[in-house]
Amino acid sequence: MTTILDGTVVDLDRVQIALDGTRWLWTCDISDAGDPLMQRLDSRITTVLALPTVLSAHGPVLAENGRPTPAMYRQVLEAA
């Protein structure tokens, strides 16, 4: 699935890496405002933020090369 935010297409099926190096994966949920909810993958503390919040707090995102692993999907699903 993709979404468009401020004219930029974001591929939600891939891990996104923010400018500050944090890694985010879509939880397959949408906020009340209609924004994709993203879970931070590189932290021991479960952090789920709306995509616009990720962009404003952590910088622009780019899709990571390669596909998410089953372990990444499991981590997001277990935290939901």
Side-chain angles (χ1 to χ4, degrees):
M1 179 174 168
T2 59
T3 189
I4 299 175
L5 190 63
D6 296 330
T8 302
V9 177
V10 178
D11 182 357
L12 297 173
D13 293 327
R14 297 176 63 190
V15 172
Q16 301 295 316
I17 302 176
L19 184 62
D20 66 358
T22 56
R23 299 171 66 239
W24 299 86
L25 183 63
W26 182 41
T27 64
C28 298
D29 288 324
I30 303 293
S31 71
D32 292 337
D35 298 315
L37 293 175
M38 308 295 287
Q39 180 177 351
R40 186 171 173 177
L41 297 177
D42 55 358
S43 175
R44 292 179 190 252
I45 300 170
T46 301
T47 303
V48 177
L49 300 173
L51 181 57
T53 305
V54 171
L55 297 178
S56 65
H58 298 277
V61 295
L62 290 173
E64 181 176 70
N65 292 334
R67 304 289 300 167
T69 66
M72 290 176 186
Y73 281 114
R74 187 170 32 269
Q75 180 183 6
V76 169
L77 294 173
E78 288 174 352

